[in-house]
């Protein structure tokens, strides 16, 4: 029954595609598809937000502001364990989380994203955040939207360029829907995912982003934050510059610590043990610093409303909220610890992103900076303005998206009058962060592994080459102890002039090149006294499976040879030729140079 249904669906799809190719142009079809992606992603974002709010309503974690809420110690554990359980029950294989996995899919998987990622991010992130995981919903909904875009493109049998664009449409729609911020959604897609696309690609992105925003607005109305401001004053400019420098330093700290903490958790192979250990540490951090619970938007809202004393709700330090020194120390502690809470949540098995934590940390940083300056008495700063600017500064630095940061914060806070301070803080934070950390929090791990290098377009293009497609396996392998007379017979039958020499277990011992053994070949008296081992040579270099393409090119340049052997765990796999590698690079370059629309 299922097989028949599948066959009928395939036949129907083929008919629709043939009809489409005759009646609808490529540009129009992309617009129609982007609308569909916007609608589906918008509905997914609304569902995710409603699930989180429902879970937090059930928990009623904010019931008594003066009590130390000991449930904070156990809530995150429940959320992460449910998330891990769902992944192992339904997915049963590696579950890719975060924006880094999307970038990896673009570069290494031809923008193909697994189908289960169109829906699995929603329940796992809802339980993680709903039960207090110190992460945001933005990365899961962006990942969901990207998966929706990628899989719709696959179903419609679109090529790599179109598939990548529609993947970006899903990402833009995700940001637009979660924040009701369509402009920021488009800019995010361009700054983070689609940096190689030209201006015409804006159109499908705008359509998808606007559609998702409309869907979200209809079903989940309301501004994320409400900002009341009288504008900015010239005498505050030096302090915005100082805030930009501070945000840059904090951003570099966040990127570095996030990488180290997540790398630490990768050492633990038992998922439930890792979840329990990580969640208990997270629970302790939230118990000490309750604002770390969940996304943190409620805390930002309190700060914008001037209710900074609510930072101490459910805290051990509730009775000290009137002391300026305690406030400053408490805020500094939150800034330093927030990245630990976020990275532990993700590293222990929870699902979420660093987008919301960046906004939260930025708001706390901006508040703490302005509060300290006002307390010292140097000048009286508008604390709300600095909270907003701090949000833009940390987001710009951590994710390396200055334009997205400026427009997103202006859209979600209504702080359009603060464009100049937002530009100053975002730009300075971005350049300071880049000085200490060349890559963003999304691309650092990929760059460290040699997968992408977004700062070098040539290397970025090279990284898209699949080493497995470059390997040639038609070479005749010979045993090291084979007599030279028998080897001559293999030479006659082979079309190659290079022979890998192997032992009994398939390990590569050396290679024989015909142009290096000509004298032995024409001396028949040596045929019975020599073995292959006597004439083989050590390879000048080895290529390791899944090695960085740029490093492979450097090996070719250093050895000045035509081909190099590929090994995995010491065993022979095949050869890669320099000519084939360069041909594939040229083909990809031409393909990338063509405009999509």
């Amino acid at each position: 029954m299922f097989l028949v249904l599948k066959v009928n669906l395939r036949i129907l799809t083929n008919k629709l595609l043939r009809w489409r190719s005759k009646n609808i142009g490529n540009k129009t079809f992309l617009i129609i598809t982007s609308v569909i992606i916007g609608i589906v992603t918008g509905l997914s974002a609304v569902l995710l937000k409603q699930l989180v709010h429902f879970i937090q309503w059930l928990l009623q974690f904010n019931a008594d502001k003066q009590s130390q809420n000991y449930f904070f110690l156990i809530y995150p554990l429940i959320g992460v364990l449910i998330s891990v359980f769902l992944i192992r029950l339904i997915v049963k294989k590696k579950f890719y989380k975060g924006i880094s996995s999307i970038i990896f899919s673009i570069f290494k998987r031809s923008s193909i994203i697994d189908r289960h990622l169109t829906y699995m991010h929603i329940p796992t992130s809802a339980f993680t955040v709903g039960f207090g995981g110190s992460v945001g919903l933005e990365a899961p909904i962006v990942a969901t939207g990207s998966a929706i875009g990628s899989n719709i493109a696959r179903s419609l049998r679109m090529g790599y360029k179109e598939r990548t664009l529609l993947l970006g449409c899903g990402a833009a729609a995700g940001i637009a829907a979660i924040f009701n911020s369509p402009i920021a959604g488009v800019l995010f897609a361009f700054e983070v995912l689609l940096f190689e696309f030209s201006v015409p690609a804006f159109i499908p992105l705008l359509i998808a982003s606007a559609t998702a925003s409309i869907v979200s607005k209809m079903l989940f109305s309301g501004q994320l934050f409400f900002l009341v401001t009288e504008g900015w004053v010239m005498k505050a400019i030096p302090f915005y510059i100082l805030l930009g420098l501070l945000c840059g330093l904090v951003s570099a700290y966040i990127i570095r610590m996030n990488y180290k903490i997540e790398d630490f958790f990768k050492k633990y192979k038992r998922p439930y043990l890792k979840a329990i250990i990580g969640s208990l540490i997270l629970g302790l951090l939230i118990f000490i610093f309750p604002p770390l619970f969940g996304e943190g938007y409620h805390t930002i809202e309190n700060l914008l409303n001037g209710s900074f004393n609510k930072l101490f709700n459910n805290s051990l330090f509730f009775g000290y909220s009137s002391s300026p020194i305690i406030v400053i120390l408490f805020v500094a502690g939150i800034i330093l610890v927030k990245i630990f809470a976020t990275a532990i949540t993700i590293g222990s098995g929870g699902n979420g992103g660093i987008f919301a934590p960046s906004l939260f940390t930025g708001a706390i940083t901006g508040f703490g900076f302005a509060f300290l300056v006002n307390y010292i008495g140097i000048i009286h700063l508008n604390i709300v303005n600095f909270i907003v600017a701090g949000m833009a500064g940390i987001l710009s630095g951590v994710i390396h998206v200055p334009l997205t940061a400026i427009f997103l914060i202006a859209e979600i806070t209504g702080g359009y009058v603060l464009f100049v301070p937002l530009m100053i803080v975002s730009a300075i934070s971005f350049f300071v962060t880049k000085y200490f950390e060349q890559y963003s929090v999304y691309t650092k791990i990929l760059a460290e592994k040699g997968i992408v290098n977004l700062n070098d377009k040539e290397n970025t293009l090279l990284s898209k080459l699949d080493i497995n497609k470059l390997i040639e396996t038609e070479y005749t392998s010979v045993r090291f102890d084979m007599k030279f007379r028998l080897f001559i017979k293999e030479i006659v039958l082979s079309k190659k002039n290079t022979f890998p020499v192997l032992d009994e277990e398939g390990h590569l011992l050396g290679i024989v090149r015909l142009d290096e053994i000509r004298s032995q070949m024409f001396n028949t008296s040596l045929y019975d006294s020599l073995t292959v081992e006597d004439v083989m040579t050590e390879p000048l270099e080895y290529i390791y499976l899944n090695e960085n393409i740029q490093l492979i090119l450097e090996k070719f340049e250093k050895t000045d040879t035509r081909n190099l052997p590929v090994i995995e765990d010491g065993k022979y796999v095949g050869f890669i030729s320099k000519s084939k590698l360069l041909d594939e690079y040229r083909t990809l370059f031409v393909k990338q140079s063509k405009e999509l629309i």
Side-chain angles (χ1 to χ4, degrees):
M1 181 66 182
F2 177 75
L3 184 61
V4 173
L5 182 63
K6 190 175 181 181
V7 171
N8 290 334
L9 185 62
R10 185 177 298 171
I11 294 171
L12 179 62
T13 302
N14 290 336
K15 289 181 178 179
L16 286 173
L17 290 174
R18 284 196 295 270
W19 179 87
R20 194 279 297 178
S21 63
K22 293 179 181 178
N23 297 279
I24 304 176
N26 191 42
K27 292 182 182 179
T28 305
F29 189 58
L30 280 172
I31 297 299
I32 294 171
T33 310
S34 64
V35 171
I36 296 171
I37 291 170
I39 292 172
V40 178
T41 304
L43 292 172
S44 300
V46 171
L47 174 62
L48 178 56
K49 288 192 285 189
Q50 293 284 23
L51 278 174
V52 171
H53 289 177
F54 177 71
I55 292 169
Q56 292 186 343
W57 174 78
L58 288 177
L59 298 181
Q60 295 182 340
F61 67 90
N62 218 17
D64 183 1
K65 69 180 181 180
Q66 297 191 43
S67 66
Q68 292 88 45
N69 198 331
Y70 292 97
F71 287 108
F72 284 158
L73 293 169
I74 196 68
Y75 281 160
L77 175 62
I78 298 172
V80 172
L81 283 176
I82 293 175
S83 177
V84 172
F85 174 75
L86 288 174
I87 292 170
R88 293 182 66 81
L89 177 68
I90 300 172
V91 180
K92 297 179 182 177
K93 58 182 179 179
K94 187 170 179 61
F95 183 72
Y96 295 98
K97 296 180 286 189
I99 310 299
S100 298
S101 65
I102 303 173
I103 299 172
F104 178 84
S105 296
I106 293 173
F107 279 88
K108 290 297 185 180
R109 303 191 67 203
S110 299
S111 296
I112 294 173
I113 300 177
D114 294 334
R115 295 187 189 279
H116 65 262
L117 296 178
T118 59
Y119 57 86
M120 275 306 296
H121 283 292
I122 294 175
T124 53
S125 60
F127 281 111
T128 298
V129 176
F131 278 89
S134 197
V135 288
L137 298 173
E138 295 76 21
I141 198 59
V142 166
T144 299
S146 298
I148 290 168
S150 172
N151 282 281
I152 286 178
R154 285 175 67 190
S155 300
L156 297 174
R157 297 172 191 171
M158 293 182 173
Y160 168 72
K161 272 283 192 178
E162 290 89 350
R163 192 163 56 246
T164 304
L165 177 58
L166 294 182
L167 179 155
C169 286
I175 291 292
I178 209 79
F179 285 119
N180 284 330
S181 176
I183 297 175
V186 173
L187 292 173
F188 175 84
F190 261 98
E191 286 191 293
V192 177
L193 302 175
L194 305 180
F195 55 91
E196 293 180 348
F197 279 70
S198 56
V199 173
F202 260 113
I203 299 170
L205 288 170
L206 285 169
I207 297 296
S209 189
T211 303
S213 187
I214 291 169
V215 171
S216 178
K217 197 85 171 176
M218 288 173 57
L219 301 176
F220 198 87
S221 60
Q223 186 79 12
L224 186 58
F225 304 119
F226 293 94
L227 176 65
V228 179
T229 181
E230 299 175 355
W232 57 279
V233 293
M234 285 296 296
K235 62 181 180 180
I237 291 294
F239 295 94
Y240 284 117
I241 294 173
L242 290 175
L243 178 61
L245 293 171
L246 177 61
C247 287
L249 294 174
V250 173
S251 298
Y253 162 78
I254 289 173
I255 294 172
R256 196 162 298 182
M257 293 309 300
N258 179 77
Y259 179 79
K260 289 182 178 179
I261 297 167
E262 288 198 28
D263 191 54
F264 170 79
F265 273 98
K266 288 177 183 176
K267 298 175 183 177
Y268 293 89
K269 303 302 180 184
R270 297 168 64 183
Y272 287 109
L273 178 62
K274 179 167 62 174
I276 292 171
I277 293 173
S279 300
L280 289 176
I281 297 172
L282 174 63
L284 181 61
L285 291 177
I286 296 175
F287 178 70
I288 299 171
F289 297 101
L292 300 179
F293 189 97
E295 294 176 283
Y297 290 149
H298 184 69
T299 297
I300 298 175
E301 188 178 347
N302 287 333
L303 291 177
L304 291 174
N305 292 334
S307 305
F308 68 86
N309 286 333
K310 291 184 178 180
L311 281 173
F312 293 87
N313 282 0
N314 299 304
S315 168
L316 297 169
F317 310 101
F318 183 80
Y320 302 94
S321 60
S322 59
S323 169
I325 299 296
I326 298 298
V327 171
I328 293 168
L329 292 175
F330 193 72
V331 165
I334 292 174
I335 294 171
L336 292 174
V337 170
K338 176 62 177 178
I339 185 55
F340 284 87
T342 299
I344 288 170
T345 302
I346 299 171
S348 62
N351 190 8
I354 202 166
F355 210 102
S358 297
L359 296 179
F360 172 87
T361 306
I364 294 290
T365 302
F367 166 77
F369 176 82
F371 187 89
L372 177 61
V373 170
N374 289 348
Y375 175 69
I376 295 173
I378 303 173
I379 187 177
H380 183 76
L381 300 176
N382 184 324
I383 291 181
V384 171
N385 288 3
F386 278 79
I387 291 170
V388 173
M391 291 165 68
I394 297 295
L395 188 64
S396 172
V398 170
I399 306 179
H400 289 189
V401 286
L403 288 176
T404 300
I406 293 166
F407 283 92
L408 174 67
I409 301 307
E411 283 187 287
I412 65 176
T413 64
Y416 294 99
V417 72
L418 298 177
F419 256 119
V420 173
L422 291 177
M423 292 167 67
I424 291 172
V425 176
S426 294
I428 293 174
S429 176
F430 174 74
F431 284 112
V432 171
T433 307
K434 287 276 285 185
Y435 178 79
F436 291 102
E437 288 291 338
Q438 187 179 6
Y439 302 99
S440 74
V441 71
Y442 295 147
T443 58
K444 182 177 175 67
I445 188 169
L446 299 177
E448 292 283 341
K449 292 182 177 180
I451 295 173
V452 299
N453 183 358
L454 302 182
N455 299 315
D456 186 333
K457 290 193 174 182
E458 183 179 348
N459 286 344
T460 296
L461 193 58
L462 280 172
S463 68
K464 292 186 178 181
L465 294 176
D466 186 352
I467 188 173
N468 294 290
K469 294 180 180 179
L470 299 174
I471 298 173
E472 300 176 50
T473 57
E474 302 84 17
Y475 291 82
T476 302
S477 60
V478 294
R479 283 279 300 270
F480 72 99
D481 54 356
M482 177 183 286
K483 288 293 184 180
F484 199 72
R485 182 178 297 277
L486 296 176
F487 179 48
I488 293 296
K489 293 180 180 180
E490 295 290 345
I491 293 174
V492 174
L493 296 173
S494 177
K495 295 179 181 179
K496 301 288 186 180
N497 64 354
T498 302
F499 297 82
V501 182
L502 312 181
D503 64 9
E504 297 89 343
E505 297 177 351
H507 294 99
L508 182 66
L509 302 179
I511 58 175
V512 178
R513 299 186 190 276
L514 295 190
D515 54 1
E516 295 176 354
I517 61 166
R518 290 188 183 279
S519 60
Q520 292 93 330
M521 287 172 60
F522 292 104
N523 188 348
T524 56
S525 63
L526 299 175
Y527 281 17
D528 295 315
S529 60
L530 291 178
T531 62
V532 171
E533 186 176 16
D534 296 323
V535 295
M536 74 179 188
T537 58
E538 182 76 15
L540 298 174
E541 275 286 2
Y542 295 96
I543 294 175
Y544 299 94
L545 206 60
N546 299 321
E547 190 170 26
N548 179 264
I549 297 290
Q550 178 62 30
L551 184 57
I552 294 173
L553 264 182
E554 291 174 3
K555 289 181 177 180
F556 275 116
E557 291 299 321
K558 183 174 70 173
T559 58
D560 192 25
T561 187
R562 296 188 301 274
N563 50 32
L564 288 172
V566 182
I567 61 172
E568 183 180 22
D569 298 327
K571 292 188 176 182
Y572 167 76
V573 177
F575 277 84
I576 289 180
S577 68
K578 184 178 180 180
S579 59
K580 184 173 182 179
L581 193 158
L582 294 177
D583 285 342
E584 288 291 327
Y585 174 75
R586 280 190 288 269
T587 301
L588 184 60
F589 179 79
V590 172
K591 186 178 179 181
Q592 288 288 105
S593 299
K594 292 180 180 178
E595 293 291 340
L596 176 64
I597 53 177

